[in-house]
Amino acid sequence: MIEFDELHGKLVLKLVYYGPALSGKTTNLLSLHDRLQQEGRGELMLLDTTEDRTIYFDLLPFFYVAPSGFRIKLKVYTVPGQVRHDATRKAVLQRADGVVFVADSRISQMAVNAESFANLEQNLTLVGLDIEKLPLVVQFNKRDLPDVVLEAELRETWAPTGLPVYMASALQGQGVLETFQAAVEGVLKSVDQKLGLLERYQVDQSAFVQSVVKTI
């Protein structure tokens, strides 16, 4: 579902942070906003309820211009984790080019994570996206808390999926950039295979990723 304007030489990509309520999706974006260079980065938009939870999405656009003049905008969103906002989650997922699934590492949240991932699979199908073809990265957040599942156990559980898995503490800023970079690389690789960005528009994957992930 790539938003591609060949006539005007521009491309808009969409990366969605998905996961259960309070798993740290918005904290990931806040950390990215604080650490990434301001040049080429847009403003962060937050829409919160009185309960201080995101009810729609957070948008953090990044811009890149290739030597050919071809422009790429990468928009980064989160979805609300609360069950009652499922319609909003589907709306945000539409036309997604990649997903970061943010799970809560605590032992008590494993069933919630599984339920949320099943919801992701279901909603991707409903909006016409194939989870087997969509770039997807899994992040286990809140590693700074004491009651978390062991990393070795998580990796063993997720190894059969073949998905990239990262450990993180978004609150401490750990693992945030690594997760984001893996997702960006996956998205651009997928799009390049479809559109031939390097051959047709001189969009070098490494240069693009370095530009987007460059820190202050």
Side-chain angles (χ1 to χ4, degrees), residues 26-215:
T26 296
T27 310
N28 265 271
L29 260 66
L30 289 171
S31 181
L32 286 173
H33 186 266
D34 289 342
R35 300 178 66 182
L36 296 176
Q37 63 173 347
Q38 291 186 349
E39 182 181 358
R41 170 170 60 72
E43 295 299 320
L44 178 68
M45 296 169 54
L46 295 172
L47 298 174
D48 292 339
T49 68
T50 54
E51 299 172 323
D52 199 29
R53 292 181 180 180
T54 307
I55 60 170
Y56 192 54
F57 59 79
D58 307 331
L59 169 63
L60 183 59
F62 299 87
F63 305 91
Y64 169 82
V65 182
S68 64
F70 189 81
R71 294 167 293 163
I72 301 177
K73 176 186 285 188
L74 171 64
K75 294 182 178 180
V76 186
Y77 295 79
T78 70
V79 300
Q82 298 93 328
V83 174
R84 65 179 182 275
H85 294 307
D86 194 49
T88 303
R89 289 200 292 270
K90 286 196 284 284
V92 177
L93 268 182
Q94 288 182 348
R95 303 178 67 88
D97 298 296
V99 171
V100 174
F101 182 77
V102 181
D104 190 321
S105 291
R106 289 177 293 176
I107 297 171
S108 61
Q109 299 302 302
M110 290 301 104
V112 177
N113 291 331
E115 182 179 348
S116 180
F117 195 84
N119 175 258
L120 169 64
E121 292 182 288
Q122 180 182 36
N123 282 342
L124 284 174
T125 299
L126 290 173
V127 300
L129 295 173
D130 186 348
I131 194 170
E132 298 293 334
K133 298 179 180 177
L134 191 71
L136 175 60
V137 174
V138 176
Q139 180 197 81
F140 278 91
N141 191 27
K142 302 189 179 185
R143 301 303 298 174
D144 53 309
L145 297 180
D147 55 339
V148 299
V149 179
L150 295 176
E151 178 177 344
E153 184 176 335
L154 292 172
R155 293 196 180 282
E156 182 178 356
T157 300
W158 284 82
T161 69
L163 295 173
V165 175
Y166 289 84
M167 303 294 134
S169 168
L171 197 60
Q172 306 294 331
Q174 299 169 355
V176 173
L177 283 175
E178 292 82 353
T179 302
F180 180 62
Q181 179 168 336
V184 171
E185 289 174 345
V187 168
L188 196 70
K189 181 179 180 181
S190 174
V191 175
D192 185 45
Q193 291 174 345
K194 297 172 183 173
L195 301 180
L197 295 178
L198 178 60
E199 294 181 0
R200 299 174 63 190
Y201 304 106
Q202 301 175 14
V203 176
D204 180 78
Q205 289 190 40
S206 297
F208 174 80
V209 173
Q210 288 176 11
S211 174
V212 172
V213 184
K214 189 175 182 180
T215 57

